[in-house]
Amino acid sequence: KQEVTQIPAALSVPEGENLVLNCSFTDSAIYNLQWFRQDPGKGLTSLLLIQSSQREQTSGRLNASLDKSSGRSTLYIAASQPGDSATYLCAVKTTSGTYKYIFGTGTRLKVLA
Amino acid sequence: KAGVTQTPRYLIKTRGQQVTLSCSPISGHRSVSWYQQTPGQGLQFLFEYFSETQRNKGNFPGRFSGRQFSNSRSEMNVSTLELGDSALYLCASSLTGTENIQYFGAGTRLSVL
């Protein structure tokens, strides 16, 4: 059974700092992995989608890597800003059993001005 | 292009009642997935519809059901509401539901009293 874990659960950093969020999963049989951000009381916004055959994806100040063999993904945020404050969720799309996304519990990020 | 629209945004019901939530996907998207988000369990997959057919299903009781119409709009129904059904219900649409990015609506917050 696929399990997705995100560490740390919460993070508080000063503005301008580079930071790394971690996501680990137990079953390497995945179609893809997606990183989302969620603002309080809102839906999710997709940040980056990495297919199982890819190693990383970049968008602006964000870079996500995927290492299927070790069951890990990292989201790197460069030069953090207060507007980056949100909860970040990773989700893996499974290939075994029900074809669905399994979400981690998220990392709540606060960037201090 | 309009995003994913969920209605209503907020609902208050009492135990034993039933409720219907609606989701209009992005134009051209044929896959609609539903998720339940609670503080204790996080984001959990309910089901996915593609071309009016339920393609995948999560581990929820039969009180949770859904359907998709020919225009890809989807509805989710919960019968015999329980206090534990209080949650944020999110729907997500994508082109085909396989390798594509999922786009989420803002959600419907359901409170069961």
Side-chain angles (χ1 to χ4, degrees):
Chain A
K1 182 190 165 190
Q2 179 75 272
E3 291 181 5
V4 181
T5 305
Q6 290 187 247
I7 294 172
L11 185 61
S12 190
V13 300
E15 182 177 6
E17 195 160 297
N18 301 326
L19 54 100
V20 174
L21 307 181
N22 297 294
C23 172
S24 60
F25 47 95
T26 55
D27 186 347
S28 61
I30 64 171
Y31 273 108
N32 60 47
L33 182 146
Q34 226 174 138
W35 281 94
F36 297 88
R37 71 172 277 168
Q38 185 175 30
D39 294 284
K42 303 279 182 66
L44 280 65
T45 300
S46 179
L47 298 172
L48 291 164
L49 170 69
I50 311 177
Q51 303 295 350
S52 62
S53 58
Q54 297 175 319
R55 298 282 295 184
E56 68 177 333
Q57 281 287 341
T58 299
S59 175
R61 295 183 292 109
L62 306 178
N63 175 277
S65 66
L66 174 63
D67 183 343
K68 268 198 340 177
S69 60
S70 66
R72 295 176 64 180
S73 175
T74 60
L75 178 67
Y76 175 83
I77 303 177
S80 58
Q81 303 169 357
D84 295 330
S85 298
T87 296
Y88 290 79
L89 295 142
C90 72
V92 298
K93 190 149 205 177
T94 61
T95 60
S96 53
T98 305
Y99 182 70
K100 64 184 181 184
Y101 272 108
I102 307 291
F103 279 82
T105 50
T107 294
R108 194 167 61 253
L109 172 67
K110 188 167 185 178
V111 181
L112 306 169
Chain B
K1 201 181 236 187
V4 178
T5 303
Q6 289 188 247
T7 56
R9 289 294 316 279
Y10 303 93
L11 264 178
I12 300 175
K13 293 285 187 180
T14 56
R15 276 182 301 174
Q17 286 187 309
Q18 75 164 19
V19 67
T20 299
L21 312 182
S22 179
C23 174
S24 293
I26 291 173
S27 178
H29 285 192
R30 294 167 64 190
S31 167
V32 174
S33 297
W34 288 89
Y35 296 86
Q36 180 195 65
Q37 187 175 30
T38 59
Q41 299 296 319
L43 260 161
Q44 292 184 287
F45 173 78
L46 280 154
F47 29 66
E48 181 206 7
Y49 284 86
F50 180 80
S51 293
E52 303 178 64
T53 301
Q54 187 180 88
R55 186 159 69 173
N56 290 293
K57 190 177 187 305
N59 300 320
F60 278 80
R63 300 185 296 107
F64 292 81
S65 62
R67 59 179 176 167
Q68 187 180 35
F69 302 95
S70 58
N71 62 357
S72 292
R73 189 178 72 85
S74 178
E75 287 182 348
M76 189 192 92
N77 184 274
V78 188
S79 62
T80 319
L81 284 166
E82 301 176 359
L83 295 179
D85 297 333
S86 295
L88 180 66
Y89 289 89
L90 294 163
C91 90
S93 78
S94 64
L95 278 170
T96 65
T98 53
E99 297 84 15
N100 309 114
I101 292 174
Q102 287 204 315
Y103 296 87
F104 279 78
T108 294
R109 184 163 297 282
L110 172 64
S111 297
V112 182
L113 307 178

